[in-house]
Amino acid sequence: MLNHMKIVSVIGARPQFIKAATISRVMKAREDLHEIILHTGQHYDENMSKIFFEELSIPVPDYNLGVGSASHARQTAMMLQGIEEVLLKEKPDWTLLYGDTNSTVAGALAASKLHIPVAHVEAGLRSYNRLMPEEINRIVTDRISDLLFAPTQTAIDNLHKEGLAEVSHLTGDVMYDSVLHYLNIIADDPERYRVEGTPDEYLLATIHRAENTDHPDHIASILDTFGKLTLPVLLPVHPRTRKIISGFSLPSNLILKEPVSYLQMLTLTKQASKVLTDSGGLQKEAYFLQTPCITLRTETEWLETLHDDWNIVTATDPSLIVDAVNSPIPTAPQSHAFGTGNAAEIIVDLFTKNC
Ligand code: UD1
């Protein structure tokens, strides 16, 4: 009889479902690993959560804390309580965490205080902008984790600078694995993932970061600039952004959509002329799919995507955005900075060796 290692994976928000799907698939093939999925309930709308589990074949979570929306302190506090209860009951060998959300930092704090070892996927990302809640979550999570999986050389360098070299490993990016895997699935039935009402030529936009949504003048300026662009701008709207723009008068070339599924988003990204976003993950997906990206933030953690202007950082400056949209399409091929598509295998191997 095999001695199973028990792992509790803590997830809660859209980008974590995507990363966890890839690692869960690899773990499922390993007889020596037993994964328990804990969903904090940070994202709870059907189109922010359930459709991802279904489409990406992520097992139904063993636990859903149903925490929902609240202030950062309240949301994180409710997660801490719920995660602690599950960890005390399950007594896992490891806790596995993803990315930089409040669900990540809550998992790190709850597990490390119970002396349960913590592994962090997508470690070492830094914007060096502490106004971002995600930056605080990353710093805390990396500092108290026992095993750090860094997606890029920049991330590894950041961890080394912080004295964390001993527990850090360069693995490649599971989001690259994920894009390669799901592109094959889309290729089998592309019509299925087409979003109704997609124009032939368009710009794809997403806006949801607190640094933009907490400043209505930033959003207003971004939307006003979208109105100056010649192509239609397709915007699948995050619920918090929808609430904020509900009172705005919107430019006529803006096409609002409900949040779309992951495979629909890959399809939209691949076919877009350019992408405009304040998301972290979408900057990379655009890069992997060879669609130039314009980042509506003051900095990016994904320095590798800046190469040959595949990604241009404009923040919310109207003239920089317009210039970036009108700039020539880069011609240099993408680098292999994100690995070769087997980051999940590398992570699971390292994980089992270190346990
Ligand atoms: C969170 C992450 C962010 C990540 C993003 C992916 C933190 C601090 N931020 O941001 O890093 O890029 O997820 O989408 O963890 N809402 C709904 N329905 C939902 C989820 C959210 O209506 O299913 C609304 C609520 O009004 C809520 C707001 O969106 O107050 C913000 O949600 P929250 O989970 O706090 O953060 P995100 O902005 O989604």
Side-chain angles (χ1 to χ4, degrees):
M1 165 106 175
L2 264 174
N3 201 1
H4 280 100
M5 179 166 40
K6 200 194 254 192
I7 294 144
V8 169
S9 295
V10 179
I11 53 182
R14 242 177 353 180
Q16 292 168 325
F17 308 145
I18 298 161
K19 289 163 204 156
T22 302
I23 303 242
S24 285
R25 203 172 50 245
V26 175
M27 287 209 279
K28 225 182 289 168
R30 296 279 302 253
E31 285 184 358
D32 51 342
L33 300 177
H34 172 51
E35 185 187 28
I36 291 166
I37 296 181
L38 190 170
H39 186 340
T40 61
Q42 177 170 355
H43 285 177
Y44 47 88
D45 282 356
E46 175 140 347
N47 58 13
M48 297 288 287
S49 176
K50 192 161 173 251
I51 54 167
F52 287 83
F53 280 79
E54 287 169 2
E55 184 172 78
L56 307 180
S57 308
I58 309 171
V60 175
D62 300 272
Y63 297 90
N64 190 328
L65 303 179
V67 161
S69 304
S71 71
H72 282 270
R74 190 177 272 273
Q75 186 185 55
T76 311
M78 288 189 287
M79 289 176 185
L80 270 170
Q81 268 186 324
I83 296 170
E84 184 183 62
E85 270 174 38
V86 173
L87 294 179
L88 283 170
K89 180 168 163 228
E90 293 290 347
K91 300 187 177 42
D93 300 291
W94 279 82
T95 303
L96 190 55
L97 306 172
Y98 297 87
D100 54 16
T101 73
N102 290 344
S103 301
T104 316
V105 77
L109 282 168
S112 57
K113 292 218 177 171
L114 293 172
H115 311 138
I116 297 167
V118 172
H120 183 207
V121 175
E122 207 178 73
L125 271 284
R126 296 289 182 268
S127 63
Y128 298 102
N129 174 1
R130 290 204 186 181
L131 294 175
M132 290 173 66
E134 293 84 1
E135 183 74 354
I136 314 281
N137 294 342
R138 294 169 186 149
I139 293 169
V140 173
T141 302
D142 285 342
R143 192 66 194 83
I144 61 181
S145 288
D146 300 275
L147 201 46
L148 297 172
F149 300 123
T152 59
Q153 187 60 46
T154 308
I156 271 285
D157 293 345
N158 293 338
L159 293 170
H160 283 222
K161 273 185 249 161
E162 292 176 27
L164 298 169
E166 221 173 287
V167 291
S168 302
H169 300 271
L170 178 59
T171 59
D173 194 323
V174 288
M175 285 188 68
Y176 184 48
D177 300 15
S178 174
V179 167
L180 296 181
H181 178 79
Y182 289 105
L183 274 186
N184 280 329
I185 293 176
I186 294 170
D188 289 341
D189 189 1
E191 266 313 296
R192 180 165 170 200
Y193 303 107
R194 249 186 75 81
V195 174
E196 213 179 302
T198 307
D200 289 341
E201 226 188 320
Y202 60 95
L203 300 161
L204 175 66
T206 72
I207 319 164
H208 76 277
R209 288 272 179 184
E211 65 243 55
N212 285 326
T213 54
D214 287 355
H215 300 273
D217 51 320
H218 286 188
I219 299 230
S221 162
I222 292 172
L223 294 179
D224 187 53
T225 310
F226 286 175
K228 298 192 176 113
L229 305 172
T230 42
L231 285 178
V233 179
L234 198 146
L235 180 74
V237 203
H238 186 288
R240 82 193 292 165
T241 312
R242 185 174 282 278
K243 275 181 218 155
I244 289 154
I245 66 174
S246 61
F248 289 18
S249 73
L250 300 171
S252 58
N253 64 334
L254 192 70
I255 306 173
L256 290 187
K257 292 277 169 202
E258 287 302 309
V260 296
S261 77
Y262 177 60
L263 296 191
Q264 286 177 322
M265 194 64 185
L266 289 184
T267 305
L268 282 175
T269 306
K270 190 159 182 258
Q271 284 162 9
S273 300
K274 292 194 177 180
V275 162
L276 299 117
T277 189
D278 60 7
S279 151
L282 186 54
Q283 292 173 50
K284 289 184 293 172
E285 283 158 354
Y287 187 76
F288 303 150
L289 296 167
Q290 296 179 307
T291 303
C293 182
I294 294 142
T295 295
L296 306 170
R297 290 176 40 199
T298 46
E299 70 283 303
T300 179
E301 301 80 14
W302 302 107
L303 301 182
E304 291 79 359
T305 62
L306 299 175
H307 150 79
D308 200 39
D309 284 350
W310 278 104
N311 186 9
I312 299 176
V313 177
T314 61
T316 55
D317 183 307
S319 64
L320 291 181
I321 295 173
V322 172
D323 286 353
V325 169
N326 294 332
S327 67
I329 304 287
T331 48
Q334 270 87 349
S335 68
H336 290 293
F338 296 89
T340 53
N342 62 346
E345 312 271 349
I346 294 172
I347 286 172
V348 173
D349 277 351
L350 276 168
F351 190 51
T352 41
K353 268 187 221 139
N354 277 274
C355 295

